Amino acid sequence: MSTAAHSEPTPGPLGGAFTRVVAANLSSSLGDGIARVAAPLLAARLTNDPLLVSLVAVAALLPWLLFAIPAGVLVDRIDRRLALGLAGGVRALVAAGLLALHVTGALTIWWLLLVVFLYGIQETVYDGAIRAVIPSLVGRRDLPRANSRIEATEIVVQQFLSQPLTSWLLAFSAVWALGLNTAAYAVAGGLALTLPAVASGLAGRRFGGRAAPGRGATPGASEAPEGGPSYGAAPMAAGWRAELVTGFRFIWGSAMLRPLWVVSVLIGVCHAAIMSTLVLFILERLHVPEAWYGAFMLAGAVGSLSAAAATNRLKTRFGTGPVMAAANAIGLGAWFLAGAFPLAWVGAVAIFVSFGCTTAWNVLVMSLRQAAVPNQLLGRVHGTWRTALWGAMPLGSLIGGLLARDGYSTPLIVGATAGLMISAVGHRYIVSLPDPEKLDPA
């Protein structure tokens, strides 16, 4: 890493509107955390078939393959406060339906899979909207700090709070867990609707050749500068079909985003291979008792939270590119060492380091994307990015499962080695990535 310091004024508060976003995201994260713990536990109560239980994960991931890009189009077309409110409201209704099915004894594994699938669809809308709202509320220089706070609240609520809370509530009564889940989603949707008008993202967006109402909209303005491409929302007559490829076109046409997208997807496949059988590695190779598995994995939550707090300071001192390159290499190197030296303490340190490095990478990638993408394209680009990234992860999981047949350490060693090779090829490019605030205005 370069040791040249980046001079920067003392950061100020991010504002009351951003605080409300954090509060809404905290409530939504509580709902997500409860759902992610409760769903597999409920599935295990409903069936002894491991294949059916595994379909819970498939149902949660499938919406990202099918709906992430359409959700991005939706986020770019409507008031983003409304998108957040609808996502929270629909999930609250679905959660209430799950509670009713449980209370009446009508819940089956198939109803549960449908509920998880519907949760996932709404998550594609919420996730794209919450990320697209942030650049409307904070300046470019504050994006890493704002994204770090969003990441930190999600980590604390989903991993530190939701996991033990949901397990205890389910043991006591599923009604309490499912009731709290319903309330959390409802509160998140309600808070989103109270955000100020600037969070709508409507200012300056183009619809059918006209600027959408809001700050920066100029009546009668043309769709795009003369001689330049138009990346705004297509006229209604063109329909949504043309817009589904707009995010891809923008990413692929960006000299900075295109290679970053490719590297992210490839590294994501490697991490998926490592994570696919990590539970077996911990239980069988590290000999961690099953009762202590959750506590053991808290090392990752601590690492993620630490990284969320430190990433902006590291970026300010060393620069975005060098921090990202170091995080990538160190995180993968930690997994390699855990596989090569299968000791409990080495594994715990590796989980702490790797989860922290992944969080740092995610915060900075998100900040670069938010700074580089025009406001009217944020939803579509986010959806396209997630579709490829999360769509490729099942392939990595399958590879990891096959590698694990030769030993539970093999996915860690092979996945980390492949990831380090990819990182080495892209090292010069990653190190050269600029700070978000130094990008030309989108």
Side-chain angles (χ1 to χ4, degrees):
M1 281 190 185
S2 168
T3 57
H6 291 226
S7 60
E8 187 168 316
T10 302
L14 294 174
F18 178 76
T19 300
R20 242 178 293 170
V21 169
V22 172
N25 196 58
L26 187 151
S27 188
S28 179
S29 295
L30 177 60
D32 288 341
I34 293 172
R36 289 170 186 170
V37 175
L41 291 177
L42 288 174
R45 293 182 182 183
L46 293 169
T47 178
N48 292 324
D49 187 339
L51 177 60
L52 291 178
V53 173
S54 71
L55 290 180
V56 172
V58 175
L61 180 63
L62 192 58
W64 288 98
L65 297 174
L66 301 178
F67 297 105
I69 296 177
V73 176
L74 178 69
V75 167
D76 284 340
R77 273 191 174 272
I78 71 174
D79 186 324
R80 286 166 181 159
R81 297 171 298 175
L82 180 60
L84 290 169
L86 285 173
V90 172
R91 286 190 289 183
L93 289 174
V94 173
L98 176 60
L99 175 59
L101 288 168
H102 170 74
V103 170
T104 60
L107 182 61
T108 67
I109 185 64
W110 304 109
W111 278 118
L112 181 62
L113 292 174
L114 177 61
V115 166
V116 172
F117 183 73
L118 293 175
Y119 278 160
I121 294 174
Q122 298 308 312
E123 188 179 5
T124 65
V125 176
Y126 179 88
D127 192 67
I130 198 72
R131 264 62 183 183
V133 159
I134 294 171
S136 300
L137 302 178
V138 304
R140 289 167 182 262
R141 188 179 297 275
D142 289 323
L143 282 174
R145 189 157 57 106
N147 284 314
S148 292
R149 291 192 184 178
I150 292 293
E151 290 282 336
T153 58
E154 291 180 354
I155 293 163
V156 169
V157 174
Q158 291 186 16
Q159 299 186 40
F160 283 100
L161 176 61
S162 296
Q163 291 187 34
L165 177 64
T166 306
S167 298
W168 182 82
L169 287 176
L170 281 174
F172 178 70
S173 172
V175 172
W176 289 97
L178 300 180
L180 181 59
N181 192 32
T182 303
Y185 282 139
V187 170
L191 284 173
L193 294 176
T194 69
L195 292 171
V198 68
S200 70
L202 292 175
R205 288 199 234 171
R206 311 284 183 177
F207 293 89
R210 295 180 293 105
R215 187 176 62 188
T218 305
S222 61
E223 181 73 13
E226 183 177 355
S230 169
Y231 289 108
M236 291 299 290
W240 285 27
R241 186 182 306 171
E243 296 192 25
L244 294 178
V245 299
T246 303
F248 173 81
R249 285 171 50 214
F250 185 88
I251 294 172
W252 207 251
S254 168
M256 183 189 77
L257 292 179
R258 182 176 65 250
L260 183 58
W261 191 33
V262 172
V263 169
S264 296
V265 170
L266 293 176
I267 295 296
V269 170
C270 296
H271 277 284
I274 293 168
M275 295 298 297
S276 63
T277 55
L278 184 64
V279 60
L280 297 175
F281 173 76
I282 292 173
L283 297 178
E284 303 297 334
R285 292 290 286 131
L286 302 186
H287 306 294
V288 174
E290 185 176 347
W292 288 95
Y293 173 76
F296 190 81
M297 289 301 295
L298 284 179
V302 175
S304 295
L305 188 61
S306 300
T311 296
N312 190 59
R313 292 196 295 271
L314 292 171
K315 167 255 175 188
T316 300
R317 180 175 181 182
F318 299 108
T320 295
V323 172
M324 290 179 65
N328 206 24
I330 293 172
L332 289 164
W335 284 132
F336 181 89
L337 291 175
F341 302 98
L343 303 171
W345 72 268
V346 176
V349 171
I351 290 171
F352 171 87
V353 171
S354 185
F355 277 50
C357 288
T358 298
T359 297
W361 171 275
N362 288 341
V363 165
L364 294 174
V365 167
M366 181 65 67
S367 300
L368 283 172
R369 208 162 70 228
Q370 289 168 334
V373 179
N375 177 64
Q376 68 269 24
L377 271 179
L378 282 169
R380 281 165 285 180
V381 169
H382 182 79
T384 302
W385 195 284
R386 282 290 175 91
T387 296
L389 179 59
W390 288 30
M393 285 185 175
L395 174 61
S397 297
L398 177 61
I399 293 172
L402 294 172
L403 290 172
R405 290 182 172 180
D406 292 328
Y408 296 135
S409 295
T410 306
L412 281 74
I413 295 173
V414 175
T417 300
L420 288 169
M421 292 173 64
I422 295 168
S423 300
V425 172
H427 178 77
R428 181 176 297 181
Y429 157 75
I430 297 173
V431 168
S432 70
L433 287 169
D435 292 336
E437 63 270 21
K438 294 183 179 178
L439 293 173
D440 292 332

